Structures are given as C-alpha cells and as structure tokens.
Amino acid sequence: MKAWTGPEVPTLPGAAGRLLVHDTALESLVPVEPDAGEARLYVCGITPYDATHLGHANTYVAFDLLQRVLLDCGSRVTFTQNVTDVDDPLLERADATGVDWRELAADQVQLFRDDMTALRVIPPQHYIGAVESIPSVVELIESLKHTGAVYQVDDPEYPDWYFEVRRAPGFGRLSGLAGDDAVEVFGERGGDPDRAGKRDVLDCLVWRLERPGEPAWDSPLGRGRPGWHIECTAIALQYLGVHFDVQGGGSDLVFPHHEMCAAEGAVATRQPFAKAYVHAGMVGLHGEKMSKSKGNLVLVSRLRASGGDPMAIRLALLAHHYRSDWEWTVVDLPRAQERLDAWRAGVARTVAPAAQPLVAAVREVLRTDLDAPAALGLIDAWAAQPGDDPDAGAQVGRAVDALLGVLL
Ligand code: 5CA
Ligand code: ZN
C-alpha cells in the first residue's frame, strides 16, 4: 500500500561510524553491522482501528531515530513496515460501530500517514498490508507445513492451522519467558492458551478458517484469514530476506509477537530471523499503558488540530530515552515548545558556538543506544552559549534536522 510523503534528510559532513543498540534477546548492546552497507529494518506497524496515539508515535519516532543514525553512519536503509489490516480487534471495532472493516482500516491508515508526515518520520520503502500479503503468508504456512511445524487442531467444526512452537530450538530465548508466565502473557496479548486440540498451549494460530460474517480468502489451507504473527514473519522475509538487521516495535510486542515471528522465521529458513530485536518503552497516561483497547489516549491528530507544533510533539517524545517507560502529562508539550523556541532562537543567531564539536558529541551519544535525552541536553547547552562562528547556526540546524528529524 501507499506509504506517506517523506522528509528530505540532509547529509552531514564527516559521517561514518557504527550504531550500538540494545538487543532484547541478548540483553546487551550490539553493533548494527549491515551486509554490503545495506541495513534491513522491519518495524511492526499499526492495527488500524483507532487513530495514532502518542504511544504509537513514540515507537515510530524511536525507530525513525534509529534509521537516521544508521543513515548518518553511512548505511543505506531498507525499511519495511506492515499494517495489520485484518485481525480480531479491527473486525470487533468495525462490528461495534457498524462501519465496514475495510473502510475503518483505510480511514485510520490515512490518519496515521498524516501524523507520520507531520512528525517527519521517514516512510518505509515497503508499506505492506496483511490483506495484500495473503499469498506470501499462505506460501510460508505451506513451507512450514512441509517441515511438520504446522498442523490443524483437533476440532471437527473449525480445524484451524497452528504453528508448533517447540519446533523452534530457541523458543523463549528472545523474551526470556517460560512456563506459567509465558502462558499468562500469551493469553493477555491475543493468544488462545485455552484452545482445545493444540499440541502445546503456546502454539499460535497461523490460519483461521472462515467463520460466519468474517472476511475470508481462498487458499489450499481452506478459506480463511491469516493469524497475526505469521503476517509479520512473511512480510519481513519477503521484503527483507533472511537474517535481516533489526526487528523493532514497542516492548509489548516482545512476547508473544516477536518471539513467534522469530520462531516461525527460524523454522522456515533454518537461520535466525533477525540479527537484533529492539524495543521501545511504553508511554502511559493516568497510570496505565496508553492503549486503544483501554481508551486512555492522547491522539497525535488531536494535539495537532489544537495547534500543537508537530516538531514540539517530536521533541517531547525524544526527551525520553527510547527504552524507558514514561507517562505523558500536560507539561510535556509546553516544555518541548519552550525547548524548540530556544533552539530556533539559537540557530537564528548571526554568530554562535562552532557546530563541529557539538555535532561530534551528538553523534557519539546517539550512536550509543540512541541516547536522545543526552543529545537534547547538548543542544540546549549550545543554544544557551555565546559564540563567534557565523556559519554555526545553519550547520546546527542541518544536523538537528538530519539526526533528530526536527526542523528548526
Ligand atoms: N499491528 C501490530 C503489530 S504487527 C500492533 O501491535 N499494532 S498496534 O497498533 O497495537 O501498535 C503499533 C505499535 O505501537 C507497536 O509497535 C506497539 O508496540 C506500539 N505501541 C502501542 N501502544 C504503545 C504505547 N502505549 N507506548 C509505546 N508504544 C506503543
Ligand atoms: Zn508485527
């Protein structure tokens, strides 16, 4: 499907270097070392049943920062993102509101595109819906079936297709979850531990046979629709290939979603699915994770409509380290606006402190697990200091644009 309009990304002098990011599987920092200079990035996209909230925005800005730092290190980046445009929560919301599920998805995806454009998030080269990827999902399930890792549950009415998690040798290593803890989280996040007829309680649905009133597509597996995890596994493998550099998303996707993708991918290709798994923290509101299902949302579109400068919204998000969990409060936006004003005044000066030492220091903190709060502090200090370089303002403006995506 169509992505969104991308911002120009300036190239800065004196680049080259490497990015270290925190890998959830190894619980340590690892270098991103792209094959042949091309970093391959997959970031899980939205389930389009409600508009983009600040939690989503935080996750997509975090991975945009990652992409910008990779570009600045001299890599090319191939970026793929999905849209879960057919799944239970979307169909349930469509039913509850009497809107056609396709229309609901199309409207919400368009809102998301507008929000991403406003926030200056670089679009993916491949923006792929679950519906349009059904042929590759079916092909992947068929190939897993040949390995014996996919089976039909013992249910005479709906013998749906499941992936057997124990076939993946490293299952559980990404999240570190096992036993009852794993079962509990699986049940909370879209899994069906109580479904009868499975080989293992954690086995995940890959193809759901048609139920009355639900959308379904013909396939050799029977008429039905894809399960959630297999969608991302298939899209990532199709557009990025095996053993790509980073799979990303919010930390609520570590288990079961990314664990299942990693397991399915590894069984299908006999290679590790991604080289690193990177996760952004959760944004909360009033003591709880911001979520569409709970309805405790601050929508990016609403903040924009009420006059919020998208660059201030972006700065408000970048003020928190991408891995930390934090709460949105009424002071976040005015504080970010103040900072934005100070930076704008700083770069508009006729003379300012030299840009080069600042850019080097900002690069250094960003290349070490994307420490945006440290970068923001360095720029605050630069903007507050007097200097005598007439070119510095423009140079710093370009660096803030290229590295942080903030247009001053
Ligand atoms: N379509 C699936 C991924 S394949 C999905 O999780 N969609 S979503 O719309 O629920 O979430 C989209 C992205 O936003 C995910 O990466 C998720 O981890 C992230 N996200 C959701 N809520 C929050 C939150 N409160 N804070 C930070 N990130 C969040
Ligand atoms: Zn996903």
Side-chain angles (χ1 to χ4, degrees):
M1 59 173 68
K2 181 166 69 75
W4 54 90
T5 314
E8 287 287 320
V9 184
T11 310
L12 304 177
R18 72 173 189 174
L19 167 64
L20 294 171
V21 277
H22 183 268
D23 175 26
T24 304
L26 294 178
E27 292 185 276
S28 65
L29 297 190
V30 296
V32 178
E33 290 173 323
D35 299 329
E38 185 205 350
R40 293 170 296 153
L41 169 65
Y42 186 92
V43 179
C44 283
I46 54 164
T47 304
Y49 68 89
D50 212 339
T52 326
H53 60 64
L54 284 169
H56 302 130
N58 189 60
T59 290
Y60 297 113
V61 165
F63 287 96
D64 189 57
L65 183 64
L66 184 143
Q67 175 164 199
R68 285 169 183 276
V69 175
L70 284 172
L71 291 170
D72 184 58
C73 286
S75 301
R76 283 171 289 119
V77 180
T78 302
F79 173 28
T80 298
Q81 184 167 128
N82 70 307
V83 181
T84 308
D85 59 358
V86 59
D87 200 9
D88 296 345
L90 171 74
L91 299 174
E92 282 159 17
R93 178 65 61 92
D95 258 359
T97 52
V99 181
D100 182 82
W101 63 275
R102 281 161 290 225
E103 202 179 306
L104 174 62
D107 288 353
Q108 298 310 320
V109 170
Q110 189 50 46
L111 261 180
F112 178 72
R113 289 188 187 106
D114 295 344
D115 287 336
M116 292 299 104
T117 302
L119 293 173
R120 305 188 83 240
V121 171
I122 303 170
Q125 283 90 348
H126 306 288
Y127 193 45
I128 309 295
V131 171
E132 62 186 323
S133 65
I134 284 174
S136 51
V137 167
V138 170
E139 201 181 306
L140 178 61
I141 298 172
E142 290 281 342
S143 81
L144 285 167
K145 208 172 102 190
H146 289 129
T147 71
V150 154
Y151 64 95
Q152 288 187 277
V153 278
D154 189 8
D155 174 340
E157 200 179 4
Y158 296 116
D160 299 317
W161 294 87
Y162 279 76
F163 171 72
E164 188 178 2
V165 294
R166 305 291 159 195
R167 296 286 180 138
F171 185 78
R173 257 184 240 153
L174 166 53
S175 61
L177 278 178
D180 291 347
D181 293 342
V183 175
E184 193 183 328
V185 179
F186 182 63
E188 286 164 5
R189 298 188 182 154
D192 54 359
D194 300 325
R195 176 84 198 259
K198 293 202 284 181
R199 293 179 186 163
D200 187 294
V201 281
L202 293 177
D203 288 353
C204 67
L205 177 76
V206 290
W207 190 256
R208 176 177 162 93
L209 296 172
E210 183 174 19
R211 308 294 201 267
E214 289 189 6
W217 289 262
D218 286 326
S219 90
L221 304 157
R223 259 182 83 74
R225 61 178 166 98
W228 172 26
H229 318 299
I230 198 79
E231 159 197 348
C232 286
T233 315
I235 295 173
L237 289 176
Q238 181 178 355
Y239 292 93
L240 297 177
V242 293
H243 207 210
F244 59 92
D245 293 279
V246 171
Q247 181 172 27
S251 59
D252 58 341
L253 297 187
V254 175
F255 192 89
H257 186 49
H258 289 174
E259 189 83 63
M260 295 298 180
C261 293
E264 291 165 350
V267 173
T269 67
R270 296 203 185 87
Q271 287 192 64
F273 183 57
K275 295 183 199 168
Y277 298 87
V278 178
H279 294 99
M282 288 291 112
V283 181
L285 184 73
H286 310 318
E288 281 196 282
K289 173 192 154 190
M290 209 178 270
S291 76
K292 290 179 278 205
S293 52
K294 292 198 196 96
N296 59 336
L297 307 178
V298 177
L299 300 182
V300 175
S301 46
R302 220 165 279 158
L303 283 181
R304 295 202 288 120
S306 58
D309 183 329
M311 293 299 93
I313 301 173
R314 189 167 169 120
L315 266 187
L317 303 175
L318 290 172
H320 302 270
H321 191 276
Y322 82 96
R323 283 202 284 130
S324 61
D325 297 329
W326 56 281
E327 285 255 320
W328 178 264
T329 70
V330 287
V331 300
D332 282 85
L333 194 54
R335 255 189 216 148
Q337 185 65 54
E338 242 174 68
R339 172 174 259 153
L340 185 64
D341 294 343
W343 288 14
R344 284 186 170 150
V347 299
R349 291 177 290 177
T350 45
V351 283
Q356 202 38 47
L358 172 69
V359 173
V362 167
R363 273 185 169 140
E364 171 78 26
V365 294
L366 290 179
R367 287 172 184 183
T368 312
D369 204 24
L370 306 172
D371 192 347
L376 269 49
L378 290 163
I379 299 163
D380 290 343
W382 176 88
Q385 274 160 16
D388 55 12
D389 185 337
D391 300 324
Q395 290 167 349
V396 169
R398 277 172 68 82
V400 168
D401 180 2
L403 296 170
L404 297 175
V406 174
L407 192 64
L408 295 178

PDB file of all heavy atoms in Angstrom, residues 163 165-166 168-174 177 202 255-256 259-260 263:
ATOM      1  N   PHE A 163       0.953 -23.111  14.481  1.00  0.00           N
ATOM      2  CA  PHE A 163       2.400 -23.324  14.436  1.00  0.00           C
ATOM      3  C   PHE A 163       2.830 -23.943  15.769  1.00  0.00           C
ATOM      4  O   PHE A 163       2.455 -23.461  16.838  1.00  0.00           O
ATOM      5  CB  PHE A 163       3.114 -21.984  14.230  1.00  0.00           C
ATOM      6  CG  PHE A 163       4.610 -22.064  14.394  1.00  0.00           C
ATOM      7  CD1 PHE A 163       5.396 -22.701  13.440  1.00  0.00           C
ATOM      8  CD2 PHE A 163       5.221 -21.503  15.515  1.00  0.00           C
ATOM      9  CE1 PHE A 163       6.775 -22.782  13.604  1.00  0.00           C
ATOM     10  CE2 PHE A 163       6.597 -21.578  15.680  1.00  0.00           C
ATOM     11  CZ  PHE A 163       7.376 -22.228  14.724  1.00  0.00           C
ATOM     12  N   VAL A 165       5.262 -24.335  18.496  1.00  0.00           N
ATOM     13  CA  VAL A 165       6.396 -23.518  18.941  1.00  0.00           C
ATOM     14  C   VAL A 165       7.626 -24.350  19.325  1.00  0.00           C
ATOM     15  O   VAL A 165       8.763 -23.897  19.181  1.00  0.00           O
ATOM     16  CB  VAL A 165       6.012 -22.587  20.119  1.00  0.00           C
ATOM     17  CG1 VAL A 165       5.016 -21.546  19.667  1.00  0.00           C
ATOM     18  CG2 VAL A 165       5.492 -23.363  21.309  1.00  0.00           C
ATOM     19  N   ARG A 166       7.399 -25.566  19.805  1.00  0.00           N
ATOM     20  CA  ARG A 166       8.550 -26.373  20.267  1.00  0.00           C
ATOM     21  C   ARG A 166       9.463 -26.812  19.119  1.00  0.00           C
ATOM     22  O   ARG A 166      10.542 -27.339  19.356  1.00  0.00           O
ATOM     23  CB  ARG A 166       8.089 -27.591  21.059  1.00  0.00           C
ATOM     24  CG  ARG A 166       7.204 -27.266  22.228  1.00  0.00           C
ATOM     25  CD  ARG A 166       7.952 -26.535  23.349  1.00  0.00           C
ATOM     26  NE  ARG A 166       6.988 -25.823  24.191  1.00  0.00           N
ATOM     27  CZ  ARG A 166       7.289 -24.865  25.068  1.00  0.00           C
ATOM     28  NH1 ARG A 166       8.536 -24.473  25.236  1.00  0.00           N
ATOM     29  NH2 ARG A 166       6.351 -24.283  25.777  1.00  0.00           N
ATOM     30  N   ALA A 168      10.882 -24.771  17.239  1.00  0.00           N
ATOM     31  CA  ALA A 168      11.942 -23.758  17.129  1.00  0.00           C
ATOM     32  C   ALA A 168      12.886 -23.953  18.310  1.00  0.00           C
ATOM     33  O   ALA A 168      12.487 -23.777  19.459  1.00  0.00           O
ATOM     34  CB  ALA A 168      11.342 -22.362  17.160  1.00  0.00           C
ATOM     35  N   PRO A 169      14.153 -24.314  18.029  1.00  0.00           N
ATOM     36  CA  PRO A 169      15.071 -24.670  19.111  1.00  0.00           C
ATOM     37  C   PRO A 169      15.244 -23.566  20.154  1.00  0.00           C
ATOM     38  O   PRO A 169      15.329 -23.828  21.335  1.00  0.00           O
ATOM     39  CB  PRO A 169      16.396 -24.945  18.392  1.00  0.00           C
ATOM     40  CG  PRO A 169      16.127 -24.876  16.936  1.00  0.00           C
ATOM     41  CD  PRO A 169      14.748 -24.399  16.699  1.00  0.00           C
ATOM     42  N   GLY A 170      15.232 -22.300  19.714  1.00  0.00           N
ATOM     43  CA  GLY A 170      15.481 -21.218  20.674  1.00  0.00           C
ATOM     44  C   GLY A 170      14.225 -20.597  21.240  1.00  0.00           C
ATOM     45  O   GLY A 170      14.290 -19.495  21.790  1.00  0.00           O
ATOM     46  N   PHE A 171      13.079 -21.282  21.133  1.00  0.00           N
ATOM     47  CA  PHE A 171      11.837 -20.637  21.543  1.00  0.00           C
ATOM     48  C   PHE A 171      11.881 -20.202  23.013  1.00  0.00           C
ATOM     49  O   PHE A 171      12.228 -20.992  23.889  1.00  0.00           O
ATOM     50  CB  PHE A 171      10.631 -21.565  21.327  1.00  0.00           C
ATOM     51  CG  PHE A 171       9.329 -20.882  21.640  1.00  0.00           C
ATOM     52  CD1 PHE A 171       8.776 -19.993  20.735  1.00  0.00           C
ATOM     53  CD2 PHE A 171       8.691 -21.085  22.858  1.00  0.00           C
ATOM     54  CE1 PHE A 171       7.597 -19.315  21.033  1.00  0.00           C
ATOM     55  CE2 PHE A 171       7.513 -20.420  23.166  1.00  0.00           C
ATOM     56  CZ  PHE A 171       6.971 -19.534  22.249  1.00  0.00           C
ATOM     57  N   GLY A 172      11.563 -18.955  23.265  1.00  0.00           N
ATOM     58  CA  GLY A 172      11.565 -18.426  24.635  1.00  0.00           C
ATOM     59  C   GLY A 172      12.802 -17.610  24.950  1.00  0.00           C
ATOM     60  O   GLY A 172      12.835 -16.865  25.925  1.00  0.00           O
ATOM     61  N   ARG A 173      13.824 -17.712  24.097  1.00  0.00           N
ATOM     62  CA  ARG A 173      15.084 -17.025  24.397  1.00  0.00           C
ATOM     63  C   ARG A 173      15.013 -15.520  24.171  1.00  0.00           C
ATOM     64  O   ARG A 173      15.694 -14.767  24.847  1.00  0.00           O
ATOM     65  CB  ARG A 173      16.226 -17.602  23.562  1.00  0.00           C
ATOM     66  CG  ARG A 173      17.093 -18.516  24.409  1.00  0.00           C
ATOM     67  CD  ARG A 173      18.275 -18.997  23.598  1.00  0.00           C
ATOM     68  NE  ARG A 173      18.239 -20.442  23.517  1.00  0.00           N
ATOM     69  CZ  ARG A 173      18.761 -21.152  22.531  1.00  0.00           C
ATOM     70  NH1 ARG A 173      19.345 -20.547  21.512  1.00  0.00           N
ATOM     71  NH2 ARG A 173      18.706 -22.455  22.548  1.00  0.00           N
ATOM     72  N   LEU A 174      14.203 -15.103  23.244  1.00  0.00           N
ATOM     73  CA  LEU A 174      14.086 -13.665  22.983  1.00  0.00           C
ATOM     74  C   LEU A 174      13.476 -12.946  24.188  1.00  0.00           C
ATOM     75  O   LEU A 174      14.031 -11.978  24.703  1.00  0.00           O
ATOM     76  CB  LEU A 174      13.251 -13.446  21.715  1.00  0.00           C
ATOM     77  CG  LEU A 174      12.716 -12.053  21.419  1.00  0.00           C
ATOM     78  CD1 LEU A 174      13.810 -11.006  21.452  1.00  0.00           C
ATOM     79  CD2 LEU A 174      12.041 -12.032  20.057  1.00  0.00           C
ATOM     80  N   LEU A 177      10.817 -15.581  28.612  1.00  0.00           N
ATOM     81  CA  LEU A 177       9.613 -16.044  29.311  1.00  0.00           C
ATOM     82  C   LEU A 177       9.432 -17.551  29.117  1.00  0.00           C
ATOM     83  O   LEU A 177       9.715 -18.080  28.044  1.00  0.00           O
ATOM     84  CB  LEU A 177       8.370 -15.345  28.753  1.00  0.00           C
ATOM     85  CG  LEU A 177       8.047 -13.939  29.271  1.00  0.00           C
ATOM     86  CD1 LEU A 177       6.810 -13.408  28.558  1.00  0.00           C
ATOM     87  CD2 LEU A 177       7.861 -13.922  30.776  1.00  0.00           C
ATOM     88  N   LEU A 202       1.087 -22.901  24.011  1.00  0.00           N
ATOM     89  CA  LEU A 202       1.606 -21.673  23.409  1.00  0.00           C
ATOM     90  C   LEU A 202       1.572 -21.689  21.874  1.00  0.00           C
ATOM     91  O   LEU A 202       1.896 -20.678  21.247  1.00  0.00           O
ATOM     92  CB  LEU A 202       3.035 -21.414  23.881  1.00  0.00           C
ATOM     93  CG  LEU A 202       3.200 -21.085  25.358  1.00  0.00           C
ATOM     94  CD1 LEU A 202       4.679 -20.935  25.702  1.00  0.00           C
ATOM     95  CD2 LEU A 202       2.448 -19.813  25.735  1.00  0.00           C
ATOM     96  N   PHE A 255       6.785 -10.411  23.593  1.00  0.00           N
ATOM     97  CA  PHE A 255       6.121 -11.707  23.711  1.00  0.00           C
ATOM     98  C   PHE A 255       4.618 -11.488  23.690  1.00  0.00           C
ATOM     99  O   PHE A 255       4.138 -10.599  24.378  1.00  0.00           O
ATOM    100  CB  PHE A 255       6.518 -12.412  25.017  1.00  0.00           C
ATOM    101  CG  PHE A 255       6.094 -13.850  25.052  1.00  0.00           C
ATOM    102  CD1 PHE A 255       6.928 -14.841  24.553  1.00  0.00           C
ATOM    103  CD2 PHE A 255       4.846 -14.206  25.551  1.00  0.00           C
ATOM    104  CE1 PHE A 255       6.525 -16.170  24.552  1.00  0.00           C
ATOM    105  CE2 PHE A 255       4.441 -15.535  25.545  1.00  0.00           C
ATOM    106  CZ  PHE A 255       5.280 -16.516  25.051  1.00  0.00           C
ATOM    107  N   PRO A 256       3.880 -12.262  22.954  1.00  0.00           N
ATOM    108  CA  PRO A 256       4.346 -13.363  22.113  1.00  0.00           C
ATOM    109  C   PRO A 256       4.801 -12.936  20.708  1.00  0.00           C
ATOM    110  O   PRO A 256       5.401 -13.745  20.022  1.00  0.00           O
ATOM    111  CB  PRO A 256       3.110 -14.254  21.998  1.00  0.00           C
ATOM    112  CG  PRO A 256       1.956 -13.309  22.093  1.00  0.00           C
ATOM    113  CD  PRO A 256       2.404 -12.193  23.013  1.00  0.00           C
ATOM    114  N   GLU A 259       8.576 -13.085  19.601  1.00  0.00           N
ATOM    115  CA  GLU A 259       9.045 -14.453  19.891  1.00  0.00           C
ATOM    116  C   GLU A 259       8.489 -15.423  18.834  1.00  0.00           C
ATOM    117  O   GLU A 259       9.203 -16.298  18.336  1.00  0.00           O
ATOM    118  CB  GLU A 259       8.549 -14.850  21.291  1.00  0.00           C
ATOM    119  CG  GLU A 259       9.127 -16.133  21.822  1.00  0.00           C
ATOM    120  CD  GLU A 259      10.500 -15.932  22.458  1.00  0.00           C
ATOM    121  OE1 GLU A 259      10.592 -15.208  23.451  1.00  0.00           O
ATOM    122  OE2 GLU A 259      11.464 -16.528  21.950  1.00  0.00           O
ATOM    123  N   MET A 260       7.211 -15.255  18.492  1.00  0.00           N
ATOM    124  CA  MET A 260       6.569 -16.143  17.499  1.00  0.00           C
ATOM    125  C   MET A 260       7.144 -15.897  16.105  1.00  0.00           C
ATOM    126  O   MET A 260       7.388 -16.840  15.346  1.00  0.00           O
ATOM    127  CB  MET A 260       5.048 -15.918  17.464  1.00  0.00           C
ATOM    128  CG  MET A 260       4.329 -16.290  18.731  1.00  0.00           C
ATOM    129  SD  MET A 260       4.486 -18.041  19.146  1.00  0.00           S
ATOM    130  CE  MET A 260       3.528 -18.093  20.672  1.00  0.00           C
ATOM    131  N   ALA A 263      10.457 -17.492  15.950  1.00  0.00           N
ATOM    132  CA  ALA A 263      10.358 -18.954  15.913  1.00  0.00           C
ATOM    133  C   ALA A 263       9.914 -19.426  14.529  1.00  0.00           C
ATOM    134  O   ALA A 263      10.526 -20.329  13.936  1.00  0.00           O
ATOM    135  CB  ALA A 263       9.371 -19.424  16.989  1.00  0.00           C
TER     136      ALA A 263
END
